[in-house]
Amino acid sequence: MVVRNAQDAQQILSPKTIKTESFTDAAAAVARLEEIYARNTGFLRNHFEAYLKGESLATRVRAVYPFVRLTTETHARVDTSLSYGFVAGPGTYETTVTRPDLFHSYFLEQIGLLLTNHGVPVEIGESNEPIPVHFAYRRDISSETGFSMSPADQVLRDLFDTPDLATMDDAIVNGTLQLLSGAPMPLALFRAARVDYSLHRLYHYTGTDPEHFQKFVIFTNYQFYVDAFARICRDQMAAGSHGGDAFVEPGNVIWRKGASAPEGKGAERLPQMPAFHLVEPDRGGITMINIGTGPSNARNITDHVAVMRPYAWLMLGHCAGLRNTQKLGDYVLAHAYAREDHVLDEELPLRVPIPALAEIQVSLEQAVSEVTHCSGADLKRVMRTGTVASVDNRNWEIGDHATIVRLLSQSRAVALDMESAAIAANGFRFRVPYGTLLCVSDKPLHGEIKLAGMAGEFYRRRVGQHLEIGLKALEKLKSLERERLHSRKMRNFAEVAFQ
């Protein structure tokens, strides 16, 4: 270890610097990222735990995240059909990274594409971005060390770096980043501390570790859906009839293929937005999350799931049908969104369109046709394609009736819910392919109000079929080539290289 002089002349205790090195092999580059990250987080844990045991520290303790850097002097690159994997033009591009163990395959792909597309090496080294001591722990610093912050522990901030929200914003994602003169341009949508923040939030909200999250995600606003998903997955694991490795429930309860009982005790209490994971190799399975009711929840969870870089996410849930020709149980395939939920108005102004993605739309429509055995005119009788309005008022039905009808009529909306627009808008914002298939559970404007008994019967009749459609649609998306799924329509004209 070495004691370094900071710019303010404060003494800082840090591990010995690992020299920045150039790599032309992606596997070797990722191995170096893993070496730096493991050494530096271990350094922080060792000193923090010694401090908790009473060891005196005379200086500040600091370790930093590793970085990936690419420098190119030309616009030339390999012609590729992918919408990512290359930088916009000459210059130096850089990002800090975290958890290379968790994102091993992801970094292999992204760095490999840079090497192939630009024909120049990447540099791997230590950044100047400190690792907050909280993020040196995989889950929760309190549960792993017994540490609990008290007024007397404020000195901790003088000895260790703690999370700094100024380094965790979404300026890159939102296109608002103001670079200092001479600073490298961003290579990825998220810097390391922003990713770490969301990894810790994912466990907090969903009750499962980030390691279990899969590349295909279903969000729902009703527990009935995850109950049905869990039954299907447990049966598949017990019978050994699924190609996946395991099924994971909140509390990190793991059902292995062929096992008669799960591993783990489960969560003491149900988390706010419980997640369930049908695990397949290379995270190629399906994650389902019950996000509950409201656009705030929808925005919150997608802010964090986005750092896992999923290949696609879908919203499956219930909605109010707005047309008299619709029947309870009909499906609505959203091709546009009237965004009246307001949770992303600052980050993604209403003037920004949220386009329908052809590959997602086709997969959902084909899945509805195959599961319902309807096609052509018959399919139109059970599924309506149109605008979905999302609002922030759950009791919109009892507002000013004339105003509600006028606003919904102007948007040509065919359905209304509270979550779909936020999920689609954040998918667009985070460059994650998105889609929405809803099921009409009531028609308040036409006298069919959802009451307790009616709702229970409706759920029993429709949840299974709706879930089957969503799962079938995701299987279709899995078969697509990456360039078709991650289309250029979600990426800007000076996009970061990492997907």
Side-chain angles (χ1 to χ4, degrees):
M1 67 185 68
V2 296
V3 176
R4 299 174 182 163
N5 284 320
Q7 291 180 352
D8 62 357
Q10 180 190 20
Q11 297 291 302
I12 296 179
L13 182 66
S14 296
K16 184 178 179 180
T17 302
I18 295 177
K19 184 180 178 181
T20 298
E21 188 174 344
S22 296
F23 291 86
T24 57
D25 177 74
V30 174
R32 177 58 58 85
L33 290 173
E34 292 174 336
E35 174 190 351
I36 295 171
Y37 178 81
R39 195 279 303 264
N40 288 5
T41 53
F43 179 87
L44 288 175
R45 290 192 299 272
N46 290 339
H47 282 279
F48 181 70
E49 289 163 22
Y51 167 73
L52 292 182
K53 293 176 182 177
E55 180 177 306
S56 177
L57 292 174
T59 63
R60 187 177 188 85
V61 178
R62 172 170 293 165
V64 295
Y65 288 109
F67 72 76
V68 181
R69 179 189 297 148
L70 177 108
T71 300
T72 178
E73 298 178 353
T74 175
H75 285 91
R77 59 176 173 80
V78 173
D79 186 22
T80 174
S81 58
L82 288 175
S83 62
Y84 58 92
F86 51 86
V87 297
T92 297
Y93 300 79
E94 183 181 304
T95 188
T96 53
V97 301
T98 188
R99 294 297 305 275
D101 58 316
L102 176 61
F103 294 105
H104 183 89
S105 296
Y106 174 76
F107 289 143
L108 273 180
E109 180 193 27
Q110 305 304 313
I111 293 174
L113 287 171
L114 289 177
L115 294 171
T116 299
N117 290 335
H118 292 285
V120 296
V122 298
E123 293 178 283
I124 306 295
E126 292 186 281
S127 72
N128 59 3
E129 182 179 345
I131 303 173
V133 66
H134 300 70
F135 295 162
Y137 291 87
R138 294 285 179 90
R139 185 178 295 166
D140 175 62
I141 192 171
S142 298
S143 63
E144 294 194 41
T145 68
F147 169 73
S148 179
M149 177 70 82
S150 68
D153 293 317
Q154 294 300 317
V155 70
L156 174 71
R157 297 178 183 176
D158 296 328
L159 297 174
F160 295 91
D161 292 293
T162 55
D164 179 5
L165 292 180
T167 67
M168 299 181 202
D169 64 28
D170 280 331
I172 302 173
V173 167
N174 296 334
T176 58
L177 180 67
Q178 298 293 318
L179 286 173
L180 297 176
S181 177
M185 291 172 280
L187 193 59
L189 291 173
F190 308 104
R191 292 180 65 83
R194 168 66 171 83
V195 175
D196 269 336
Y197 176 73
S198 282
L199 295 181
H200 283 70
R201 292 287 83 192
L202 283 176
Y203 177 77
H204 172 77
Y205 285 119
T206 71
T208 53
D209 287 331
E211 286 82 352
H212 301 308
F213 277 73
Q214 302 297 291
K215 293 176 180 176
F216 297 87
V217 182
I218 295 175
F219 299 107
T220 186
N221 52 9
Y222 280 95
Q223 183 67 25
F224 295 90
Y225 285 85
V226 292
D227 289 344
F229 182 62
R231 284 195 297 271
I232 292 171
C233 295
R234 291 188 200 118
D235 290 346
Q236 289 180 345
M237 290 299 110
S241 59
H242 186 269
D245 300 328
F247 173 59
V248 182
E249 302 185 33
N252 295 317
V253 174
I254 303 176
W255 296 80
R256 305 285 183 188
K257 186 184 294 184
S260 58
E263 303 169 9
K265 297 180 180 179
E268 293 183 4
R269 62 187 65 85
L270 197 64
Q272 182 177 342
M273 289 180 270
F276 300 76
H277 314 275
L278 184 57
V279 178
E280 295 185 16
D282 195 26
R283 294 179 45 233
I286 296 171
T287 288
M288 174 172 266
I289 306 173
N290 178 9
I291 64 175
T293 301
S296 180
N297 276 1
R299 189 255 164 92
N300 183 8
I301 195 63
T302 48
D303 276 351
H304 301 309
V305 173
V307 306
M308 299 302 301
R309 306 316 297 147
Y311 284 5
W313 63 40
L314 302 179
M315 173 63 188
L316 297 185
H318 295 155
C319 66
L322 301 178
R323 303 301 174 92
N324 198 32
T325 53
Q326 291 170 306
K327 305 181 298 298
L328 299 187
D330 282 357
Y331 296 110
V332 174
L333 176 60
H335 76 179
Y337 302 88
R339 296 167 53 201
E340 296 291 341
D341 51 37
H342 305 300
V343 294
L344 284 164
D345 288 1
E346 292 186 11
E347 293 84 356
L348 200 66
L350 293 176
R351 67 176 181 273
V352 178
I354 309 300
L357 305 180
E359 293 76 15
I360 305 286
Q361 300 297 96
V362 169
S363 296
L364 283 168
E365 183 171 344
Q366 289 177 346
V368 173
S369 178
E370 292 173 16
V371 172
T372 62
H373 305 291
C374 295
S375 60
D378 288 336
L379 183 60
K380 293 182 179 180
R381 293 189 180 97
V382 299
M383 184 184 76
R384 184 83 175 254
T385 300
T387 297
V388 170
S390 286
V391 298
D392 55 5
N393 176 14
R394 178 57 190 88
N395 296 316
W396 62 274
E397 305 100 316
I398 54 177
D400 185 308
H401 185 75
T403 300
I404 291 170
V405 170
R406 176 174 58 83
L407 292 175
L408 293 176
S409 179
Q410 287 174 338
S411 70
R412 309 297 193 268
V414 299
L416 182 148
D417 77 344
M418 298 188 70
E419 300 84 22
S420 293
I423 289 172
N426 244 1
F428 181 79
R429 177 171 166 247
F430 289 122
R431 290 73 159 172
V432 177
Y434 51 86
T436 299
L437 184 72
L438 302 174
C439 190
V440 175
S441 59
D442 60 343
K443 296 167 55 182
L445 297 181
H446 307 285
E448 297 186 55
I449 298 174
K450 183 165 52 181
L451 301 175
M454 297 166 56
E457 176 59 25
F458 167 77
Y459 297 145
R460 283 190 290 273
R461 286 188 290 110
R462 266 294 180 259
V463 165
Q465 185 185 74
H466 195 184
L467 177 60
E468 183 183 358
I469 291 168
L471 297 177
K472 186 177 286 291
L474 288 183
E475 290 302 323
K476 292 178 180 296
L477 292 175
K478 290 181 185 182
S479 68
L480 295 179
E481 296 295 329
R482 291 288 298 280
E483 60 264 29
R484 290 184 59 196
L485 191 53
H486 289 273
S487 67
R488 285 178 169 82
K489 66 170 63 75
M490 288 197 300
R491 298 175 71 82
N492 66 36
F493 48 81
E495 190 61 78
V496 299
F498 282 17
Q499 178 269 320

